[in-house]
Amino acid sequence: MKVAVVMGGITSEREVSLRSGQAVLNSLLRQGYDAYKIDLTRENLVSAFIENEFDIAYLTLHGEYGEDGRVQSVLDMLGKRYTGSGVTGSAVAMDKILTKVIAKDLGIDIAKTYSTVEEIKEYPVVIKPAKEGSSVGIYICNTKEEALEAYKALEGKYPLIEEFVKGEELTAGVLNGEKLGIVRIKPKSGVYDYESKYTVGKTEYECPAQIDEKIYEEVCEAARKIHEKLGLTGVTRSDFILRDGKAYFLEVNTCPGMTETSLAPKLAASKGYSFDDLTRVIIESAKA
């Protein structure tokens, strides 16, 4: 069985994807898989899947053109197996606004959201792209003027405006429906931005999170419900903010990072999965 580890892509998350992909490739080679690398670029977004031979595409792409269903649809049309979630689940999960609507329908708490700056009743608010990940393009706005500037800066990126919920950052993992537990994230800067997320030593992680047992189970179950409702496959990671005993759902990641600072491997390890175990389970659950 030949496995193509697809990495790179054309978004701001390209470098992170390359690091994730290399870690996965090293893992598969250690386990004896016939695996090799495909570096996806703007020039080979489609041709890479036609010109290369493989039985399974192991996707380690983050953001648009990789995690949003578009690459998955190409692979579906070519009749190729691939890891992670399918077209619909990937596309819906990539849209933070739509996913929050679904979460609310499931009875999961979400932060108050606004459609326009004019609707904002109380500051501060967070304005961020609805269809990007990795803490890219986040603005915390304390005034209407700041909100207008942020909204303009994100023009064309489907800005999401929501109440700024200040609290503890949590992320809960799910592997093919199995609850992996929760990591509590403690960024030293106070904000879990791109630098805090991907720079070693900038953030402390508590795994499993030492929080109230009842809240712990509620967050794990909320993550499982999102995973199930969206029909997701493989490993997913749902982010929450815990404030005053209530956990607010933020988003779900269908292709979480697999770097040395990534949270999905930490969560899997807390349940007894080595990094190699995790990549093997993901391969075994690849969509036909």
Side-chain angles (χ1 to χ4, degrees), residues 127-188:
I127 302 181
K128 57 188 176 183
K131 297 184 180 181
E132 286 191 29
S134 286
S135 307
V136 174
I138 289 182
Y139 295 84
I140 298 174
C141 307
N142 294 292
T143 66
K144 183 176 182 179
E145 290 70 28
E146 290 179 0
L148 288 169
E149 288 180 13
Y151 201 85
K152 184 177 181 181
L154 294 174
E155 189 174 1
K157 293 190 175 183
Y158 308 100
L160 164 64
I161 307 172
E162 63 186 8
E163 168 195 7
F164 176 53
V165 180
K166 187 172 179 58
E168 298 182 279
E169 306 226 15
L170 307 175
T171 194
V174 179
L175 178 61
N176 292 326
E178 177 188 355
K179 292 180 278 192
L180 295 179
I182 302 170
V183 171
R184 177 155 53 179
I185 302 161
K186 301 179 178 180
K188 293 180 179 178

Side-chain angles (χ1 to χ4, degrees), residues 1-12:
M1 179 174 63
K2 187 179 287 292
V3 181
V5 182
V6 185
M7 63 186 83
I10 63 172
T11 72
S12 58

Side-chain angles (χ1 to χ4, degrees), residues 2-288:
K2 187 179 287 292
V3 181
V5 182
V6 185
M7 63 186 83
I10 63 172
T11 72
S12 58
E13 299 169 76
R14 173 177 169 79
E15 291 305 314
V16 178
S17 172
L18 289 171
R19 286 161 55 191
S20 289
Q22 191 59 54
V24 167
L25 178 59
N26 293 343
S27 170
L28 296 181
L29 292 173
R30 277 196 303 270
Q31 297 178 73
Y33 284 96
D34 181 9
Y36 71 101
K37 164 184 175 180
I38 291 181
D39 183 353
L40 210 62
T41 66
R42 190 171 293 280
E43 287 68 38
N44 69 353
L45 267 177
V46 175
S47 62
F49 301 109
I50 299 172
E51 296 170 357
N52 288 283
E53 292 187 9
F54 56 89
D55 299 299
I56 295 177
Y58 194 121
L59 302 180
T60 61
L61 300 162
H62 307 314
E64 291 185 295
Y65 295 96
E67 200 173 355
D68 61 357
R70 283 185 268 198
V71 162
Q72 289 82 356
S73 66
V74 171
L75 289 163
D76 277 349
M77 287 187 286
L78 293 174
K80 294 287 191 177
R81 293 178 64 196
Y82 56 91
T83 60
S85 301
V87 175
T88 302
S90 297
V92 173
M94 191 66 186
D95 188 325
K96 296 181 181 71
I97 296 172
L98 185 54
T99 306
K100 282 163 71 76
V101 170
I102 294 170
K104 185 177 181 180
D105 187 60
L106 290 170
I108 298 168
D109 291 312
I110 62 170
K112 185 185 300 181
T113 59
Y114 304 96
S115 299
T116 66
V117 172
E118 285 67 30
E119 287 183 12
I120 299 172
K121 298 293 191 296
E122 188 176 353
Y123 287 89
V125 297
V126 176
I127 302 181
K128 57 188 176 183
K131 297 184 180 181
E132 286 191 29
S134 286
S135 307
V136 174
I138 289 182
Y139 295 84
I140 298 174
C141 307
N142 294 292
T143 66
K144 183 176 182 179
E145 290 70 28
E146 290 179 0
L148 288 169
E149 288 180 13
Y151 201 85
K152 184 177 181 181
L154 294 174
E155 189 174 1
K157 293 190 175 183
Y158 308 100
L160 164 64
I161 307 172
E162 63 186 8
E163 168 195 7
F164 176 53
V165 180
K166 187 172 179 58
E168 298 182 279
E169 306 226 15
L170 307 175
T171 194
V174 179
L175 178 61
N176 292 326
E178 177 188 355
K179 292 180 278 192
L180 295 179
I182 302 170
V183 171
R184 177 155 53 179
I185 302 161
K186 301 179 178 180
K188 293 180 179 178
S189 68
V191 178
Y192 196 45
D193 55 12
Y194 188 92
E195 183 179 2
S196 295
K197 199 169 192 177
Y198 293 114
T199 305
V200 175
K202 290 281 188 179
T203 300
E204 294 178 357
Y205 301 98
E206 184 180 85
C207 184
Q210 301 302 301
I211 60 175
D212 179 83
E213 187 176 336
K214 182 173 181 290
I215 295 172
Y216 194 101
E217 181 52 38
E218 287 175 354
V219 171
C220 286
E221 181 60 14
R224 187 200 64 78
K225 284 181 177 178
I226 290 287
H227 183 100
E228 181 181 83
K229 186 68 173 179
L230 270 59
L232 305 180
T233 307
V235 66
T236 63
R237 213 194 70 233
S238 291
D239 297 335
F240 298 81
I241 293 287
L242 177 62
R243 182 182 70 183
D244 299 332
K246 183 180 287 189
Y248 297 84
F249 169 77
L250 298 179
E251 62 181 278
V252 58
N253 302 274
T254 58
C255 192
M258 297 285 277
T259 71
E260 67 271 17
T261 60
S262 295
L263 302 181
K266 294 181 192 294
L267 287 162
S270 73
K271 288 294 185 179
Y273 293 95
S274 68
F275 192 89
D276 288 353
D277 290 335
L278 180 59
T279 58
R280 184 176 65 256
V281 170
I282 291 171
I283 279 279
E284 290 171 351
S285 60
K287 296 188 73 64

